[in-house]
Amino acid sequence: AAVFSTSKAVVSTQSTGDYDAWFDLLRLLEADGSIEDVRDTYERAIANIPLVASKKGWRRYIYLWINYALFEELEVEDVDKTREVYKACLDIIPHKKFTFGKIWLMFAQFEIRQKNLSEARKIMGTSIGKCPKPKLFKGYIDLELQMREFDRCRKIYEKFLEFDMSNCNTWIKFAELETILGDSDRARAIFNLAIQQPLLDMPEILWKAYIDFEVEEEEHDRVRALYKSLLQRTKHVKVWISYGNFEATIEEAERARDIFEEADRSLQQESQKEERVLCLEAWREFEMKHGTEQTQNDIAKKMPRRVKKRRKIDVEEGGEGGWEEYWDYIFPDAEANSSNLKLLQMAKMWKKQQQESSEEEDEEEEENEEEG
């Protein structure tokens, strides 16, 4: 039987569209039937094109094609027929609406097994040209990596990034390729270009990868520059802690201590209590490993008290809010500031009372003079 042609398709809304029933029948025939019977059954099965225009509705149907191709390649060992099945399958998929990366990749891998590298490249090139998607770009890159064609990998990565400049994993993998090839300057240039992108899907992992790269290169000044640049964009406590720990790992204790101190001030100004606690705990851990008795005592004095408080629950207008308990942190410097504030308030009150008393005395004197 000839490979399925869309012009001869028989679309059915009856039981022939039950793909699970076709799978069961084909499984029985492949075990005991003749090759021609199996082929004929596959042809009748794939003629039942899904009526829905959604990828989900096509998924089971596409596996009929996959099984058909595998049957021709592995059981019948008919290379030409296998190739025809893959091509017919790709012809019928509505690529403008959706595609199936698995088919493209399996077809290319089939051609690789036939030692037909140029055809495999043509298939993958067509796939990313007709329906670009991450799975296809990655598959094409893996193919070229297996062939040790690194210049081709670079070109595909460039195409991949043209397709989606916001994909941090792509930038990282591209830089990792250059690192593996021993070209640190290229890797650094890729990372530099990546962090300048206005929109990134996961910037935190990109910055971490860049910093880790420079740490591996033992470019400590570059690492510091990256941390400072990152802190201009975000004051997240994890960045501060990572920066301080980096200095500690290269035995720059004073630098690390200065960073933790700066972080504490920054988080205090931002009134981020929980984040400040995390920072102080990291700082205390650092001092336990690298500090002196004096510095350990100093950080101990900075640690907050954890107290339980109650607050009213906010509710919509008209509702009655109850009360809830929560944990709060009282920092020693906050208590000192509170005490100073109370003293200042008392001083202002005393000054006000003195002024009022003085004014009353002046009024009494004026009244006495008038009576006299």
Side-chain angles (χ1 to χ4, degrees), residues 72-102:
E72 293 291 353
E73 181 186 3
L74 303 178
E75 299 297 329
V76 186
E77 298 182 355
D78 190 330
V79 172
D80 292 335
K81 193 64 173 285
T82 304
R83 188 175 289 116
E84 289 176 8
V85 171
Y86 278 120
K87 287 181 178 179
C89 179
L90 289 172
D91 285 342
I92 199 174
I93 297 172
H95 298 291
K96 290 184 178 180
K97 295 180 179 178
F98 55 84
T99 192
F100 288 89
K102 190 178 185 69

Side-chain angles (χ1 to χ4, degrees), residues 211 223-232 239 242-243 246:
I211 290 169
V223 174
R224 293 183 182 110
L226 283 173
Y227 272 118
K228 289 176 182 177
S229 179
L230 181 55
L231 285 168
Q232 290 177 354
V239 179
S242 178
Y243 189 9
F246 158 71

Side-chain angles (χ1 to χ4, degrees), residues 93-201:
I93 297 172
H95 298 291
K96 290 184 178 180
K97 295 180 179 178
F98 55 84
T99 192
F100 288 89
K102 190 178 185 69
I103 292 291
W104 292 103
L105 294 171
M106 288 184 68
F107 192 9
Q109 290 160 1
F110 161 75
E111 293 295 358
I112 292 291
R113 289 193 290 274
Q114 310 313 313
K115 297 180 172 54
N116 196 348
L117 180 58
S118 62
E119 191 63 29
R121 284 176 173 150
K122 183 179 177 181
I123 292 165
M124 294 310 301
T126 302
S127 74
I128 62 175
K130 184 176 289 188
C131 41
K133 56 185 295 186
K135 184 176 182 178
L136 292 173
F137 280 107
K138 292 174 184 176
Y140 197 178
I141 290 168
D142 288 342
L143 184 153
E144 296 297 356
L145 281 175
Q146 292 172 18
M147 300 296 111
R148 299 294 186 267
E149 293 285 353
F150 302 119
D151 284 336
R152 288 180 179 272
C153 289
R154 289 182 175 119
K155 291 178 181 178
I156 301 167
Y157 269 121
E158 289 170 4
K159 291 288 185 183
F160 197 174
L161 289 169
E162 287 176 11
F163 167 68
D164 184 5
M165 300 285 280
S166 68
N167 192 320
C168 289
N169 275 319
T170 306
W171 287 105
I172 293 169
K173 290 295 183 182
F174 193 3
E176 285 178 353
L177 171 65
E178 299 296 353
T179 305
I180 292 170
L181 297 177
D183 198 332
S184 298
D185 290 337
R186 272 181 178 267
R188 185 174 291 115
I190 291 167
F191 275 125
N192 266 323
L193 186 59
I195 62 174
Q196 293 171 23
Q197 299 306 309
L199 181 64
L200 294 167
D201 57 358

Side-chain angles (χ1 to χ4, degrees), residues 24 32-33 39 45 52 54 56 75 122 149 158 171 189 205 215 248 261 278 299 319 324 327 338 353 361 365:
D24 292 339
D32 301 316
R39 278 178 175 167
V52 294
S54 69
K56 184 178 179 180
E75 299 297 329
K122 183 179 177 181
E149 293 285 353
E158 289 170 4
W171 287 105
I205 68 166
V215 170
E261 189 172 350
L278 291 174
I299 187 62
E324 65 176 359
W327 290 102
S338 178
Q353 289 172 355
E361 290 177 359
E365 288 179 2

